[in-house]
Amino acid sequence: MRLTGERQTAHLTLDIPALKPVEGVQLRYRNSINVQSSQSQILINVNGTPLPAVAPAAFEGFKTISVPSNLLVEGRNTITVQAKQAHRIFCGPKASFQIWTEFDLAQSGAIVSSTNLPTDANGFRMALAAQVGRYGRVTVRAAGEPPQTFMRTMSEKLSAASAGTQAITLVSEGLYANGAATHPIARITLRDNLPTPLEVRRGADGAEVLMLNPKAKDVLSALDKILPQSAPVPDIGKLMPGVATSLKELQFTDLNAYNRYTEQSLQFRLPNDWLILSSAKATLRLSYGFAADLPQSALMLVKVDGVTVRLLPLDTNGGKVQPPLDIRFPANILKSGVNNVTFVTIVPGNPPDRPCPKSDTPLMTILDGSSLLVPSSPRMKFIGMNSLVAALRPNQLVASRSAALQSHIEKLTTTLASSLRPISGIPPISDAQLKIVALDNLQNVSLAKLGVQPRTLENVFFGAPDTRAQASIENPDYGFFNASKLLFSLEAIGKKISDLAQPGDPPLKQWLANRRGKAALVLTDPKRPHKLSLIVPPNSDAAQIADAIARARLSSNAPRGQFSLLTEDGKWENWQDASAPPVLEEPLSLGNFRAVAGNFASWSPLYFVLLLFGLTVLSIVLALVFVISTRGKRKK
Amino acid sequence: MNRRAALRTVASVGLFPLLGSTSAVAQSMPNSLAGPNQPLAEAWSAWKAAFLSPEGRVIDKLQQGASHSESQGYGLLMAALFHDNATFDAIYRWTEANLAIRSDALLAWRWLPNQAVSVADRNNATDGDLFYAWALVLHSRATGMLSLRRRATAIAESLVKNCVVEARDGSGRLLLTPAAEGFARKNAQIINPSYYMPRAMREIAAATGINALATCASDGEALMTDLATQGLMPDWIEVGTSGMTPAANMSDKNGYEAMRVALFLIWSGNAAHLAVADQVRAYLQAGTSGNLQNGEYVTVMDRKSGAVLETSTSLGYGALAAFSECASHSRFGAKIPFFRTDEQSYYPATLHLMTLIAQIVSAPECVPI
């Protein structure tokens, strides 16, 4: 965890089931060399009690800040860490990035001597939390390969030891596997002939060992006592379309910008059946203020889902709360599911080649009474996986058979089970399914409907460029008239018309041509919109993929559309079939007609014009028929 | 006919009954230790990588890089148990070429590298011969190679001829001497209790018909019961006309030699032996004394008081203690450390691996947790 900039705060939670064995808490930190120690502080607050300020001085390696045990309580402890940092030489956005304090969370936490840790449920839970926090994996020792169903159940249960956005890898080892240099803090040992369903013991390496008899009748109920059902993961703020919602209601708490470069981000969730493609506007009513006399060129960018929708100068008229400002932006930037609004504050140094003047007041503040109004939409959506991933449950995972990669598929499925904790307020979809498929077994996934072959995916995963898809780029110098030029012109016109008919992503094969990734989520059959496949190559990292899926459930960096590619840098790149029209999920009525028509018109302007033209022609024909037929009657 | 000659004659015709044996019928090792999926495959690979040269020499770096008949015997036994034929052949070939240089069938006890004469002392070490012969018996049984059994028989005959003597305490027991030469005293015989491996002695006897070894095993177990009434097993003890007394100028402590006694007794199916119970009690007492740091294991104790005299961080010594505790209490699951070779030398690592073998074979409930 790195706290960068002039002032940065982080809130840590520490769950302590039993206080007795805890000797204290330690925080391991180090600083960048640019931090001016005499002008900087690390402030720690434990459960509301502040500790004496620490002058950061860990320039050559990690140092320890000790927290006395008498400030701790049984249960959840909140530790707030704030770094106030000054640059030795410079001031400005670049200098802001150069001052940081980094906390090694794997080496920070409650200090408990393994010999003092009780060998009971509390002791195991504490050890498990430390094990997961430090290593992200738990070893399961068993004679032979443990039953996969049991491993998946364990994985799901162990997810209680994490915050819900981190996958836990269960590492299967033989009972006599060699020991590792790094001693585990907790592990699980399975033995069929254990006389009791389970018991907690201490291993020779000091680890708390949960010994389980997986064949005991009542092992699962006994397990519930040691690892109770994990609570749902708290969801981010939900935004109700058509209603102005304050940023406070959307759980936006990062109000003040102290750094010369600051990003304050707000994530919120829109309903799954919200869709606006037309030019309707959303409004951010921004109440904000900024310090007086900020240097020239100080500014704030307001971004919605990465698109800058407003640039606000901060170098004039500061020192007071500004009148509320309505920032209107196209609502079609937003999409169903998780979106974000980011405020980027950039304040140059004045002068840039001297340390910033010391200040305890924020450079810019956003009032949490600011509000966001997103227009309501008819219940519409594109066929896609937007809502599916957040609603998935561990029991909806299916491991496909794979001749060469069965073990890998099973491992990934087990790891995924730990990353699909229910999210508060998001109900499960009863027929949802996530099938994990190995690249060698793509005959089970009908990619033909998406217009790609297994070969295309092999290229995406293994990096070989798809030359056939790239071959059409050429621009020869044609003569005044020849057949090739005419053909090229016709193709260009055809593409323009095609874009007008179906704006959006090109065909999947073309879209994938220059992309590379490490896993793909695919919705192969629009008629079965809840059946998702996760395709993985043989060398994929199960923990990384499961982590990416766990995070995506609460982030705007999430899989959407019909095909989503997880890139090497952990981003989900999404493809939507442009030929598939949006689906209206409520009756068409006078009340929603305009919005529905607007969405269809935006989805395909050409089709919409053709439809209107057809209706017009039909009207004319009907009118002519009526006129002609009535004139004939009068003559008679 | 003197006593030794008489003994040899009786032994050779196989007339000794299997008196008082705790495991009268020799058992072969279970198949669970063999095959590509055997549970100790990873540990065995690590052991070979750390301590075995490609030509089949087991190297003890802490002892000047020496190879002992004992280490060759241990290595050969494990290769036989794991059905690792290539390794068995390599160790066997090297040992036969370099240590089988005595006039009898026994092995010279030590080979040193980088010496003008690698084997300066041709005396044998009984435990090395014993494990070597046991390995030959097991491999012969698995492969049908009669030549190996003949070699084992020759070793057994030489052992009985040169290293099995009658105790001078009037008990009539047969004693296993540590070597053919050097341990006889006036009216007494120095022995090393940890050189007794009852299971090996009985299996060799059953396979070769040299039943004196089985008798010697039973006598040794009885002797150890008597010794246990005096305290923990000693590294060395003198058995003479005045009973069992400390051997002059030799360790009377419960140390690096004696620590093997409990392991071999449990491996032999005799976890209830008094010597095991005493050893376990001493381990538990040391563990609860508060004098042991985390990760420290007892290696040397005072025989009488059980006071800890030396400790080590080598995991193999911890494995011995944890296994003994578990096997003697029949508790499920043992705090046996997981096998590693990066932080322990040849001797504790080898004891560690043999502890895991003994656990699988003789105390399956004591799985490492």
Side-chain angles (χ1 to χ4, degrees), chain A residues 321-389:
Chain A
V321 173
Q322 305 295 314
L325 175 69
D326 281 349
I327 300 173
R328 289 165 58 76
F329 59 92
N332 59 17
I333 297 175
L334 301 167
K335 62 263 179 192
S336 62
V338 182
N339 298 268
N340 71 59
V341 175
T342 308
F343 305 98
V344 181
T345 306
I346 301 170
V347 181
N350 186 25
D353 54 356
R354 285 202 184 156
C356 294
K358 198 171 180 181
S359 171
D360 267 341
T361 55
L363 298 170
M364 194 280 297
T365 295
I366 292 164
L367 277 65
D368 60 7
S370 303
S371 64
L372 185 58
L373 172 63
V374 172
S376 56
S377 85
R379 291 182 53 218
M380 291 185 82
K381 65 180 176 187
F382 283 111
I383 296 298
M385 61 187 85
N386 298 28
S387 59
L388 204 50
V389 175

Side-chain angles (χ1 to χ4, degrees), chain A residues 382-386 447-452 502-513 515 521-524 526 558-566 572-580:
Chain A
F382 283 111
I383 296 298
M385 61 187 85
N386 298 28
L447 292 170
K449 287 183 182 173
L450 297 172
V452 293
Q502 292 176 359
D505 294 328
L508 182 57
K509 186 177 177 183
Q510 190 181 336
W511 186 84
L512 285 172
R515 285 185 158 81
L521 278 167
V522 189
L523 213 160
T524 52
R560 300 170 193 278
Q562 273 183 257
F563 188 101
S564 187
L565 185 67
L566 179 62
W572 292 98
E573 293 186 353
N574 303 312
W575 176 84
Q576 180 73 52
D577 183 0
S579 67

Side-chain angles (χ1 to χ4, degrees), chain A residues 411-427:
Chain A
K411 184 179 170 188
L412 178 54
T413 309
T414 301
T415 308
L416 274 170
S418 71
S419 63
L420 298 179
R421 252 168 76 180
I423 298 172
S424 179
I426 296 189

Side-chain angles (χ1 to χ4, degrees), chain A residues 479-493:
Chain A
F480 175 72
F481 179 86
N482 65 35
S484 297
K485 183 181 178 184
L486 181 63
L487 193 62
F488 184 77
S489 301
L490 288 175
E491 275 182 9
I493 293 168

Side-chain angles (χ1 to χ4, degrees), chain B residues 14 37-38 48 79 89 94 110 170 185 191 265 267 302 332-333 349:
Chain B
N37 296 322
Q38 64 100 344
K48 287 192 291 182
D89 291 346
W94 188 91
R110 185 173 66 169
R185 299 288 183 268
I191 64 161
L265 284 171
W267 195 347
D302 183 83
F332 191 91

Side-chain angles (χ1 to χ4, degrees), chain A residues 85-160:
Chain A
Q85 304 166 128
H87 200 287
R88 291 175 186 275
I89 305 166
F90 301 117
C91 179
K94 192 177 173 188
S96 196
F97 279 107
Q98 292 172 341
I99 46 177
W100 49 260
T101 297
E102 189 172 79
F103 287 86
D104 181 355
L105 295 184
Q107 296 295 325
S108 301
I111 305 164
V112 181
S113 165
S114 63
T115 51
N116 290 339
L117 207 58
T119 46
D120 58 16
N122 277 341
F124 182 73
R125 279 196 291 269
M126 288 176 76
L128 183 66
Q131 173 75 29
V132 169
R134 182 173 291 187
Y135 303 114
R137 64 179 187 275
V138 178
T139 299
V140 178
R141 287 198 165 229
E145 200 62 35
Q148 281 308 314
T149 49
F150 189 81
M151 288 289 271
R152 216 178 291 176
T153 304
M154 284 306 302
S155 177
E156 190 181 339
K157 285 206 155 290
L158 293 181
S159 70

Side-chain angles (χ1 to χ4, degrees), chain A residues 236-263:
Chain A
I236 55 177
K238 285 192 174 70
L239 192 143
M240 178 82 76
V243 179
T245 309
S246 73
L247 301 197
K248 185 178 184 181
E249 289 173 283
L250 294 176
Q251 304 173 18
F252 182 60
T253 55
D254 187 14
L255 302 175
N256 298 316
Y258 291 92
N259 302 336
R260 296 280 162 162
Y261 180 92
T262 307
E263 284 190 11

